[in-house]
Amino acid sequence: MTFASPVKQMIFALKEMASYSDIVESELWPDLDDNFIETLLYEASKLADNSIAPLNQSADKAGSILNNGNVSTAPGFKEAYKELVNSSWGTLSGLKDYGGQGLPKTISVMIQELWNTSCMSFSLCPMLTQGAIEAISHHGTENQKKEYLPKLLTGEWSGTMNLTEPQAGSDVGALKTRAKKNSDGSYSIKGTKIYITYGDHDMAENIIHLVLARIEGAPEGNNGISLFIVPKFIKNQKSNELEKNDLQCIGLENKLGIHASPTCVMSFGENIGAKGFLLGEENRGLACMFTMMNNARLNVGMQGVGIAERSLQQSFEYSKERKQGRHYSGKSKNSVNIIEHPDVLKTLIKMESLTQASRAICYDNAIAIDLAQNHKDDKIKEKYQLKADLLTPISKSWATDIGVKVASLGIQIHGGMGFIEDTGVAQHYRDSRIAPIYEGTNGIQAIDLVTRKLKISDGLAIKNFLDEIKETSKKCSEKNDNDFIKIANNLNAAIAEVEICTEKLLEWTKENKLRSVLFSASDYLELFGITAGSHYLSRGALSEKNINNESLSARKELALFFSTQILINSRSLSSSICSTSENLGNFLEDF
């Protein structure tokens, strides 16, 4: 089925649901206006719709091929990637001193959504490169920035993140990759990394690996980890030519989804040792890597949005074409399009509301990051940093869970045909399933939320965000409209549940009931996600730009649906969260 980038939905989410007005009022980017953003998105959508999206299903079937240590990507990927490089899409938010355009990261996040939606496997290459750019921009020396950033920004070189080892997944401190300092100041890297996305491929002329390793003599655990730049090819100082470094892909993972994205087993230093260059300070590698991971976590959240959008579009079109069963009213003896069945329609509305809510959360997160990093007023920067810190685990976890949920509902809409690979809808589900796992599992994000984010500045981040939601609720209640009043009442009830649960978790933390805190973490994140989702959908329904426009009723109905069908789960989630787990210790004895 034909795919079309949801540019209008994206622009609406940015301007009417997220806090784009905060960027405008900051005057940090005076040349950024509505026409520019719209033109940029429509231009990017041409590449997404015409060159990348048509590859999604064929590339899934073809996959990547490893031959003598070299990886060939699926047919069409090299050509599409060349178009992306030639159009300079990677330079948008890069530092101007190194060839970037200096635009807000929010714009890059939106462009990345287009690549995600058109083909998730393809999108991973520029996404990981953006993360490498972030890490080098924040922690690199001036020489490193000059050497690597210009070509990483254009995409001529791509970037990777090398954390995981067979025995060291989420427990990064257990890694065994070693680094030995050379006489010239470089390091010799030896070790094996697994699950390395685009660890090798044929689309870029060089691959810049960021590798976590332990320098000889460094302490064990997280405190002894350093981060190194380990290029696939290194420039010979005499000849100025690129020479192969001592690293190679020794295996490709056979995965459930994202088949066209090469997930590599990388071997460093099998012969003389792979040459690497320290990024940041010795034994401070995790701090550097988290710069990269925080960037990746928001973009992974956008993958959830993208895969949900792709599944939603295909399901909606199918439901308008597929005839099955009689009309529920009995008014016709002929088969009707399945969208006329109330249960199917309800499923589609659920998919739509979840997709739009998750998009707005991610956009608002990106805006908070932009203002935290660039605002000239330190107090305002701190305010947005609190918001960015709070929303990052929500964006990553809630949006990727939504991606899986919507993709699953898409299969249900298609019925038996959804279970057949030829329709392509099963691929969305397979592809979606990795997003809640990589870049920090969603369980880890929930733990981060309840053990760190709740306590920042004595809970100020939570309080500030709930104040935003209360303001939305107040505006709804001031409308002379029963539907808006119902939305306000449900929002207020959910806010109360969040406050109760927050107090309970903080109480358990003080009492050192860590098990109960961690046991409730995922439910708390879900509670926060649906409350935030209702907040953003309500803001969209309140938009003044919808007045006298036919979309006003549709926006309100979507917000009302979410409020009455999804947000009301806040009560049951709250009940679950506040139930202690201290008495469940005997459970495992039965196994």
Side-chain angles (χ1 to χ4, degrees):
M1 293 185 178
T2 304
F3 164 76
S5 294
V7 175
K8 288 183 179 179
Q9 294 279 22
M10 294 168 70
I11 292 172
F12 184 87
L14 175 71
K15 296 179 180 176
E16 310 303 328
M17 299 169 75
S19 304
Y20 175 68
S21 58
D22 291 358
I23 281 186
V24 175
E25 291 168 7
S26 74
E27 299 183 346
L28 292 168
W29 295 275
D31 297 331
L32 196 67
D33 59 32
D34 291 0
N35 289 335
F36 175 79
I37 294 173
E38 189 169 332
T39 300
L40 195 70
L41 289 174
Y42 275 112
E43 195 61 36
S45 72
K46 294 177 185 177
L47 174 60
D49 296 0
N50 301 327
S51 298
I52 302 174
L55 301 174
N56 191 49
Q57 198 168 359
S58 62
D60 177 71
K61 293 177 180 178
S64 298
I65 298 173
L66 174 63
N67 186 20
N68 293 325
N70 298 308
V71 175
S72 300
T73 52
F77 266 32
K78 278 202 315 187
E79 292 76 12
Y81 187 80
K82 186 175 182 180
E83 285 187 62
L84 185 145
V85 171
N86 291 341
S87 302
S88 300
W89 289 113
T91 66
L92 291 178
S93 61
L95 297 171
K96 289 185 177 180
D97 290 347
Y98 308 99
Q101 299 181 45
L103 292 170
K105 288 183 174 59
T106 302
I107 304 300
S108 291
V109 166
M110 297 177 75
I111 297 297
Q112 183 66 34
E113 180 189 344
L114 294 174
W115 313 150
N116 295 341
T117 314
S118 54
C119 180
M120 186 167 159
S121 286
F122 180 89
S123 74
L124 281 160
C125 186
M127 188 192 91
L128 267 296
T129 300
Q130 286 296 323
I133 290 168
E134 284 288 311
I136 294 173
S137 296
H138 282 84
H139 304 286
T141 64
E142 188 57 36
N143 286 338
Q144 287 172 339
K145 292 176 185 177
K146 287 179 179 177
E147 181 171 1
Y148 298 109
L149 289 182
K151 288 187 178 290
L152 283 171
L153 283 167
T154 61
E156 293 170 86
W157 294 358
S158 67
T160 72
M161 178 164 49
N162 290 249
L163 288 80
T164 307
E165 299 179 9
Q167 78 295 334
S170 298
D171 181 12
V172 180
L175 66 79
K176 294 181 179 178
T177 299
R178 298 288 169 176
K180 182 178 181 180
K181 194 165 187 177
N182 301 320
S183 58
D184 63 358
S186 67
Y187 290 78
S188 180
I189 311 294
K190 291 192 175 185
T192 301
K193 298 287 185 177
I194 62 173
Y195 304 154
I196 309 307
T197 303
Y198 279 91
D200 194 74
H201 61 92
D202 56 358
M203 303 193 304
E205 63 183 35
N206 200 1
I207 302 171
I208 309 304
H209 298 282
L210 297 191
V211 183
L212 285 179
R214 198 181 309 279
I215 297 173
E216 287 188 344
E220 294 300 313
N222 292 345
N223 293 330
I225 297 173
S226 299
L227 183 62
F228 299 89
I229 300 173
V230 187
K232 178 180 180 180
F233 295 103
I234 297 179
K235 186 182 292 186
N236 185 302
Q237 297 302 317
K238 294 181 179 179
S239 66
N240 242 12
E241 294 181 354
L242 291 175
E243 297 178 346
K244 181 75 164 56
N245 203 352
D246 184 15
L247 59 90
Q248 66 174 339
C249 173
I250 59 174
L252 288 179
E253 303 291 357
N254 183 18
K255 310 184 297 290
L256 173 68
I258 53 169
H259 291 159
S261 169
T263 303
C264 303
V265 179
M266 297 298 300
S267 175
F268 294 90
E270 280 194 1
N271 300 306
I272 60 174
K275 181 170 280 193
F277 309 93
L278 184 67
L279 180 60
E281 302 176 24
E282 287 190 4
N283 303 330
R284 295 282 296 160
L286 278 185
C288 299
M289 186 60 81
F290 273 118
T291 299
M292 187 176 190
M293 288 187 73
N294 279 332
N295 175 279
R297 282 171 176 170
L298 175 55
N299 277 322
V300 170
M302 291 308 309
Q303 287 186 334
V305 176
I307 208 73
E309 174 67 36
R310 189 72 188 258
S311 183
L312 169 65
Q313 283 197 25
Q314 185 164 344
S315 299
F316 185 66
E317 291 301 316
Y318 182 82
S319 70
K320 292 191 297 181
E321 298 170 357
R322 172 66 166 166
K323 292 185 180 296
Q324 194 83 173
R326 307 287 192 270
H327 195 276
Y328 66 90
S329 68
K331 67 181 182 182
S332 172
K333 294 182 179 181
N334 298 322
S335 296
V336 297
N337 296 327
I338 61 172
I339 196 171
E340 295 193 46
H341 298 308
D343 181 66
V344 172
L345 179 61
K346 179 179 179 178
T347 302
L348 289 166
I349 296 171
K350 184 177 185 179
M351 294 167 72
E352 172 80 10
S353 65
L354 289 169
T355 302
Q356 290 202 30
S358 59
R359 176 183 288 121
I361 287 174
C362 291
Y363 284 6
D364 216 27
N365 191 358
I367 290 168
I369 291 171
D370 274 322
L371 294 173
Q373 293 180 352
N374 297 285
H375 208 285
K376 297 172 184 176
D377 186 312
D378 287 342
K379 288 186 178 180
I380 295 177
K381 286 180 74 170
E382 183 181 355
K383 167 190 158 187
Y384 284 109
Q385 188 62 58
L386 286 171
K387 185 174 182 178
D389 288 342
L390 176 66
L391 288 185
T392 294
I394 308 295
S395 296
K396 196 280 178 183
S397 296
W398 197 72
T400 55
D401 282 343
I402 293 310
V404 174
K405 185 176 294 185
V406 171
S408 179
L409 291 172
I411 292 177
Q412 196 70 23
I413 290 287
H414 284 72
M417 292 302 295
F419 207 67
I420 305 301
E421 287 287 355
D422 288 348
T423 63
V425 72
Q427 181 191 341
H428 305 324
Y429 185 66
R430 290 189 287 101
D431 287 350
S432 74
R433 197 58 193 84
I434 185 57
I437 298 172
Y438 56 23
E439 305 308 337
T441 67
N442 285 3
I444 288 176
Q445 301 302 316
I447 290 169
D448 175 55
L449 178 63
V450 299
T451 59
R452 291 186 61 248
K453 303 305 169 59
L454 289 191
K455 297 186 290 186
I456 294 176
S457 299
D458 293 324
L460 187 58
I462 299 285
K463 180 184 179 302
N464 287 348
F465 192 67
L466 289 180
D467 284 346
E468 285 188 35
I469 302 177
K470 288 175 182 177
E471 183 61 27
T472 298
S473 174
K474 180 182 176 184
K475 289 179 180 177
C476 287
S477 65
E478 291 171 349
K479 291 276 188 182
N480 186 23
D481 184 299
N482 288 333
D483 290 337
F484 273 116
I485 291 172
K486 186 177 292 186
I487 291 170
N489 289 338
N490 288 340
L491 255 181
N492 289 334
I495 292 167
E497 301 294 357
V498 173
E499 291 175 332
I500 290 169
C501 293
T502 302
E503 283 186 28
K504 177 60 72 174
L505 290 171
L506 291 173
E507 176 189 319
W508 283 340
T509 301
K510 291 177 182 177
E511 295 173 353
N512 203 29
K513 293 182 178 179
L514 186 58
R515 175 178 176 159
S516 291
V517 172
L518 300 180
F519 198 83
S520 300
S522 292
D523 281 345
Y524 183 81
L525 191 145
E526 172 68 11
L527 171 62
F528 210 97
I530 63 174
T531 305
S534 183
H535 158 62
Y536 289 110
L537 287 171
S538 300
R539 286 177 69 167
L542 288 164
S543 171
E544 293 299 320
K545 292 189 177 179
N546 276 336
I547 292 179
N548 297 324
N549 186 301
E550 61 182 2
S551 65
L552 171 60
S553 60
R555 292 285 172 185
K556 186 180 74 170
E557 287 170 9
L558 204 63
L560 180 64
F561 174 89
F562 193 96
S563 171
T564 57
Q565 301 293 316
I566 297 172
L567 184 62
I568 57 168
N569 292 322
S570 61
R571 183 173 297 177
S572 59
L573 283 165
S574 175
S575 178
S576 171
I577 292 163
C578 293
S579 299
T580 180
S581 69
E582 296 301 308
N583 297 323
L584 297 176
N586 297 325
F587 173 74
L588 294 177
E589 294 179 6
D590 294 333
F591 290 86

